[in-house]
Structures are given as C-alpha cells and as structure tokens.
Amino acid sequence: MNTFLSPDICVIGAGSAGLTVAAAATALGVSVVLIEKGKMGGDCLNSGCVPSKALLAAARRAEEARDGARFGVVADAVRVNFPAVMAHVRDTIAALAPNDSAERFAGLGVTVLNGEARFVDRRTVAVEKTRIRARRFVIATGSRPVVPPIPGLSTVPFLTNETIFELKRLPARLIVIGAGPSGLELAQAFRRLGSEVTVLETSRALSRDDPEPAALLLETLRAEGVDIREGVGIARVSRRGRTAMRVTLEGERGESLDATHLLIAAGRRPDLESLGLREAGIRFDARGIAVNDKLRTRNPRVYAIGDVADGPRFTHWAAYQAGLVVRTMLFRFGGKVRPELLPWVTFTEPELAHVGLSEAEARRRHGRISVLRWPFSENDRAGTERSTRGLVKIIATRKGRIVGADILGHDAGELIAPFVLAVSQRLGVKSLATSVFPYPTRSEAAQRAAIAFYAQKLDSPWLRRAIRLLRRFG
C-alpha cells in the first residue's frame, strides 16, 4: 500500500544545499519533505571539507613541531600516531554530525525519508512505497569522484576522498592523480605526516587559479618534499606484488613510479543516477542538470542546486544557491546567480584564496585595469612569525573599483573576506586605503596593496602641476 505526501517543497539530497533549503523553508512555516539515500550531511561533512580540514590541522601541528627550532623552541623527534590522527578526524565529524542529523531536522518539522528518490512523472517523486507530489522540488544530490579511464586502474585498489579517511595505516609511498585543490591539500597533509608523496597532473596544477600565486604555492610544496609533476600522461597502472602498485607514465622513456597507495583526485561528476530526470522532463548531460540563471530546470516545478547543477562545485556556493532558490520559491524575488561573487580557497599552507575576476578575465571585460600587489615579506606580522611567502594581489578597474583579488599566505581564506564584500558591493580601493587596520596584522597587506593604486598616480604630470600650484599658497 502506497503512502502519499503533498508538501510545499520536496528536497532530494541532504548535503549542504539541501539542508539549507529544508531548514530555511521550514523556519518560514513551509512544509518540507527531505530525502537522502546515504548519510545526512553529504560529502562535505562525511568525506570532504570537514575530514580533510581536520587532517590538515593534524599535519600542521606536526610541521610546526619540526619547525620550532627557527624560533628557539626545539622539540624532540616528532612521532606521528596515525591511528590517533584518524581518530581525531572521526571525532571531528561526530562532533558536527548532530547539526545535520535526521533527528534535528525532524525536530524542526521536516519530514525526513531515507531512501532513493526517483521521478515517476513531472511532479511526482517515489521513495520505495511513498509518493511525494509537491508544489516545488529541489534536486541537491551532490557529486561523486571522477575515476579517469586509465588502463589497469580497475585492477588495483585505489582511494578517493570517499575512502581515504578510512585508512588505518599511514601510506609509505602515496601517488596522487590530480593537482587541483583537493589533491594538493591531501598531498601536503600526508607528506607532513610522514608519507613520500608524488602528484601527477596531465595539465597545469591549480589550473583555475592565477598563475602568479599558484606558482609560489607549488614552489613551497616542492620545498616540503612533495614531488609535483605537471603535463604528464599516465599510460597504465599495474600491480606490483601483494601490497604495491606501479604507475607507468607516457612517453618514450616510459618512466615508472611505485607506490603503496594511489589516490584519485581528478575532479567530480554530478550524482544523477536513478533520479528519473527524463520522466520529469529535465535536461541534463555529463556536466550536470541544465538550469537557468535562477537555478530552475526545464521543468518549472523543479530547481537544481549545488554540485548536481552544471557549474562550480563548492559547499559555500551550494549554500548561496539554496538561499536564492528559497527566496524565489517563497517570495518570487530570489534574484539571479552572480558567478563573479564566488570565492574559493585551497587550504594548503600557505593558503591560496581567490574571489571575483582573474587578471586575464578583467582585461577582457574592462580593458585597462590596475593590478595592485603587496608581498607579505613587507608585512611586519608575517615577519614576526617568519611566514613571509605570498602576497595580496588586487584587480581593479581604471577608476579603482575592485573586481577581483588573490591572496597567497597564512590564513588567506580569512583574509579574502574584505574582498568578497568589496566585489559583492562594488566597492573601490578607497574603501580599503582609507580604513584603519590594526597593527601588526596580516590584514594590513590588503590596505597597502590598495594604497598602491594612488601611488601609481603620483607620476601624473597633472597632479604634479596641481601640487606646485598649491605650494604657492603656503
């Protein structure tokens, strides 16, 4: 016997995007059914952002202990207890899990269903024997790791972000395929914990980021002992004994690299399987579900947000989209997606953060621009902590409006916040240059970079004539 539900909103997927929609809509008195086939909290909580940052935190402590001699603090030999490190990762997930739990959302008034959702027609979803006929649907099923078609890969055990946090022993020799943010974060973490690490990338490492700070970051990682190889192809993967594997590179030499563990970090693909999208009249392809600038699919009753939609794949971007969709569904004024607002951070040490347009994008869109820089080697706080690698780079229009920024440095993910605001609110460099920043802080580097906009104008003949004229009046 079937059960029928008729909520205002049915959300498919209980990751960051889906949970945000469910919580916001329920708080506004709207009936919500939330469907999740796996773990509540999605990839970010269980196998993405949270566990990776917990692992990075442990790795940073190990590196700081080794590096203490520069400050006159000498520790005995650092010993990494890897099972305890992984216990720290699990404990971190467990501490945050109640926020995303089915019990919490049921307490908020959400009807939570565990199972696989499938559209049976344009306005009905089935979960086992339950039928949901909602006024609006939000698809937020997230994404899964891409497994590239490398010959022999299926014959060896390999790791992805969904399995690497289940390791019981520290990898002796780890090969990472993919030099994007996730691959490099995990590469540095395992190197600092004691693994030998090689990263293989078919194109350019950190290809989405500004080449200038990205090159400085790669230089730092290589100095720590991470072997990063760019522009290399993989011919095949094969077993080598019971517990090892071999990766053979393309080329005349056919160089081979041996490893005890292999991590695939080659990107992500949308989780579309078994949704019945054709039955719902929804367009999609390998990149994800097609949506308009208001995140609505071809079926006007259905929205798609987060990693499952064709576009950037970040937890905070999914939450931003969720807010737009809730406002659109309930108040009809959600607005359009503004891609230029998207910030992202590579959480290595130093961190690499970006928001807005890149230098190349800004030149194409605005023509003449100002590129303003200030290195952390000129920042007193960075000097006191002997962490001076990196810079603040601001992209501004000819009139001084901030349209983009990149920061490489300690806690760059925190330092990018004023630039996120500046890009969002269309602020100019004057807003930074005329503000008072506490001393000594790394945030002063943002102000110094902004002041450089006016320093460029000091060579103006008109300005010099004006100064000479004003001097005559005392």
Side-chain angles (χ1 to χ4, degrees), residues 200-246:
L200 305 177
E201 172 56 55
T202 57
S203 57
R204 179 175 73 87
L206 297 171
S207 58
R208 291 191 61 186
D209 284 286
D210 185 301
E212 181 181 2
L216 291 174
L217 174 55
L218 296 176
E219 186 179 302
T220 301
L221 296 178
R222 288 177 171 127
E224 286 193 15
V226 180
D227 182 8
I228 303 172
R229 305 191 185 193
E230 301 174 88
V232 297
I234 300 174
R236 63 184 177 276
V237 177
S238 57
R239 281 188 176 273
R240 184 169 174 77
R242 292 181 57 192
T243 60
M245 60 198 74
R246 172 166 289 178

Side-chain angles (χ1 to χ4, degrees), residues 4-180:
F4 292 90
L5 300 173
S6 55
D8 286 306
I9 299 172
C10 176
V11 181
I12 305 173
S16 173
L19 293 177
T20 301
V21 170
T26 303
L28 293 169
V30 174
S31 59
V32 177
V33 168
L34 174 64
I35 306 167
E36 174 55 55
K37 66 180 179 181
K39 294 180 179 179
M40 296 285 290
D43 175 78
C44 184
L45 173 65
N46 297 290
S47 56
C49 314
V50 171
S52 65
K53 303 312 167 279
L55 186 72
L56 284 164
R60 176 181 288 186
R61 300 306 184 276
E63 186 67 16
E64 288 174 347
R66 296 188 191 99
D67 197 41
R70 291 196 304 157
F71 301 88
V73 180
V74 181
D76 294 333
V78 177
R79 182 178 66 86
V80 173
N81 182 341
F82 190 70
V85 169
M86 300 309 285
H88 152 69
V89 172
R90 292 191 299 272
D91 289 346
T92 302
I93 296 172
L96 298 178
N99 294 328
D100 296 346
S101 67
E103 292 79 10
R104 174 174 180 260
F105 276 79
L108 294 175
V110 178
T111 300
V112 181
L113 302 179
N114 181 249
E116 189 170 79
R118 179 180 180 84
F119 282 93
V120 295
D121 59 41
R122 293 178 63 88
R123 60 172 305 179
T124 309
V125 162
V127 181
E128 297 180 353
K129 294 185 178 181
T130 301
R131 297 292 186 269
I132 301 100
R133 193 174 177 84
R135 187 172 61 86
R136 294 286 185 267
F137 293 88
V138 179
I139 303 174
T141 50
S143 61
R144 302 177 66 85
V146 168
V147 179
I150 300 172
L153 185 59
S154 61
T155 68
V156 303
F158 61 85
L159 302 162
T160 68
N161 75 294
E162 295 181 344
T163 56
I164 194 165
F165 301 108
E166 299 171 2
L167 286 174
K168 302 296 190 294
R169 294 183 179 179
L170 180 71
R173 296 184 303 281
L174 175 66
I175 290 180
V176 180
I177 296 178

Side-chain angles (χ1 to χ4, degrees), residues 308-391:
V308 76
D310 182 9
R313 296 189 169 105
F314 297 95
T315 297
H316 49 283
W317 190 242
Y320 161 74
Q321 292 179 323
L324 291 181
V325 164
V326 169
R327 294 195 295 274
T328 298
M329 289 190 297
L330 301 185
F331 304 110
R332 306 296 194 272
F333 62 82
K336 299 178 180 179
V337 173
R338 294 176 58 191
E340 73 275 10
L341 300 185
L342 173 64
W344 65 76
V345 182
T346 300
F347 291 94
T348 47
E349 177 58 38
E351 293 177 355
L352 176 57
H354 167 85
V355 69
L357 302 178
S358 68
E359 181 178 346
E361 290 169 336
R363 291 189 190 282
R364 287 194 297 269
R365 185 174 301 186
H366 297 284
R368 287 179 58 190
I369 60 172
S370 291
V371 180
L372 314 170
R373 298 176 177 85
W374 193 262
F376 283 109
S377 59
E378 297 294 327
N379 177 265
D380 290 356
R381 178 61 182 273
T384 64
E385 297 185 356
R386 307 190 72 169
S387 179
T388 57
R389 181 175 291 272
L391 77 162

Side-chain angles (χ1 to χ4, degrees), residues 385-405:
E385 297 185 356
R386 307 190 72 169
S387 179
T388 57
R389 181 175 291 272
L391 77 162
V392 173
K393 180 176 180 179
I394 303 174
I395 310 300
T397 64
R398 184 176 58 176
K399 293 185 177 180
R401 180 166 67 87
I402 297 171
V403 295

Side-chain angles (χ1 to χ4, degrees), residues 177-196:
I177 296 178
S182 177
L184 292 180
E185 287 173 10
L186 291 172
Q188 184 181 47
F190 278 97
R191 177 61 189 143
R192 288 179 161 191
L193 293 171
S195 301
E196 294 181 15

